[in-house]
């Protein structure tokens, strides 16, 4: 996965040609910035929040394994003032992406999106931050996000008519594709 990553990096990498994990390791990055990655660009477009194209964080942990069969596995956790990210995904030989991704986005940042500003007002949500769980698909260069059900999404379902939600989801899917 191409990362545009800034910060103080500590790395631990192991390699073993007899193990199924040909190479594995961990990166710990402090006081950093993740910017303009395909995943962040997809998230920014999906949420209609341009500030999500680059996020600052206090600490990020990235665990990885390169398997002999050409599969790359990643686990990522980052914590920042505005956004907390957590992801577990893999990339196969054809650069297909699969896994899960969660973005916890603070209220002030969500208010930058016309779409979410209206939705938050409709349901009267004043939470400090909201979780957005996604299933990942697509490729490493064009990730596809599918918003999974959680408490916030269920609260929207009680307020927004089904025909409007389906149209909204189709519009979001069209943008992502």
């Amino acid at each position: 996965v191409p990362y545009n990553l800034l910060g103080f990096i500590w790395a631990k990498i192991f390699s073993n040609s007899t193990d199924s994990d040909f190479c594995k390791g961990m990166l710990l990055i402090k006081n950093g910035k993740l910017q303009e990655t395909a995943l962040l660009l997809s998230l920014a477009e999906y949420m209609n929040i341009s500030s999500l194209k680059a996020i600052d964080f206090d600490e990020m942990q990235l665990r990885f394994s390169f398997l002999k069969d050409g599969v790359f596995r990643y686990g990522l956790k980052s914590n920042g003032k505005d956004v907390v990210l957590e992801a577990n995904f893999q990339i196969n030989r054809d650069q297909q992406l699969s896994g899960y991704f969660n973005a916890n986005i603070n209220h002030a940042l969500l208010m930058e999106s016309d779409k979410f500003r209206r939705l938050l007002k409709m349901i009267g949500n004043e939470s400090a931050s909201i979780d957005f769980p996604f299933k990942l698909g697509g490729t490493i260069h064009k990730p596809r996000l599918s918003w999974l059900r959680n408490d916030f999404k269920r609260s929207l379902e009680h307020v927004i008519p089904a025909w409007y939600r389906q149209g909204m989801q189709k519009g979001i899917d069209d943008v992502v594709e």
Side-chain angles (χ1 to χ4, degrees):
V1 172
Y3 288 105
N4 294 326
L5 186 59
L6 305 169
F8 296 101
I9 299 175
W10 176 86
K12 192 176 209 179
I13 300 171
F14 302 96
S15 181
N16 183 346
S17 61
T18 60
D19 197 7
S20 65
D21 292 341
F22 175 70
C23 180
K24 59 184 169 182
M26 183 187 105
L27 296 176
L28 178 64
I29 304 103
K30 298 238 181 208
N31 302 319
K33 182 178 208 156
L34 187 62
Q35 58 191 14
E36 302 287 327
T37 67
L39 189 55
L40 283 183
L41 294 174
S42 291
L43 180 64
E45 187 173 8
Y46 188 97
M47 304 295 289
N48 194 26
I49 302 173
S50 62
S51 298
L52 289 173
K53 292 178 182 176
I55 60 163
D56 295 318
F57 57 86
D58 300 322
E59 182 176 290
M60 176 186 285
Q61 292 180 14
L62 176 66
R63 295 184 185 277
F64 59 89
S65 295
F66 303 141
L67 306 179
K68 287 182 180 177
D69 61 2
V71 172
F72 300 103
R73 289 191 182 137
Y74 295 91
L76 175 130
K77 288 182 182 181
S78 79
N79 61 348
K81 184 182 75 152
D82 297 326
V83 180
V84 174
L85 300 177
E86 191 166 339
N88 287 295
F89 57 94
Q90 68 179 28
I91 302 164
N92 69 17
R93 284 185 175 188
D94 298 325
Q95 298 187 351
Q96 295 294 310
L97 181 64
S98 64
Y100 295 91
F101 173 65
N102 189 73
N104 180 282
I105 303 171
N106 78 14
H107 190 86
L109 202 54
L110 284 170
M111 295 306 278
E112 289 183 23
S113 168
D114 291 337
K115 173 175 55 177
F116 282 99
R117 185 172 39 249
R118 282 181 285 172
L119 293 174
L120 290 169
K121 286 180 182 177
M122 285 175 75
I123 62 171
N125 188 312
E126 294 292 329
S127 300
S129 63
I130 296 176
D131 279 320
F132 291 90
F134 296 98
K135 184 174 180 182
L136 291 173
T139 68
I140 61 170
H141 301 292
K142 289 193 89 147
R144 189 176 56 250
L145 305 174
S146 297
W147 186 10
L148 299 173
R149 267 186 132 167
N150 66 349
D151 290 341
F152 177 66
K153 193 169 186 180
R154 277 189 283 281
S155 66
L156 292 175
E157 291 171 353
H158 293 296
V159 175
I160 299 171
W163 61 268
Y164 184 79
R165 285 194 317 270
Q166 290 169 350
M168 187 172 73
Q169 184 62 44
K170 182 175 179 351
I172 289 170
D173 291 343
D174 290 346
V175 167
V176 172
E177 302 267 331

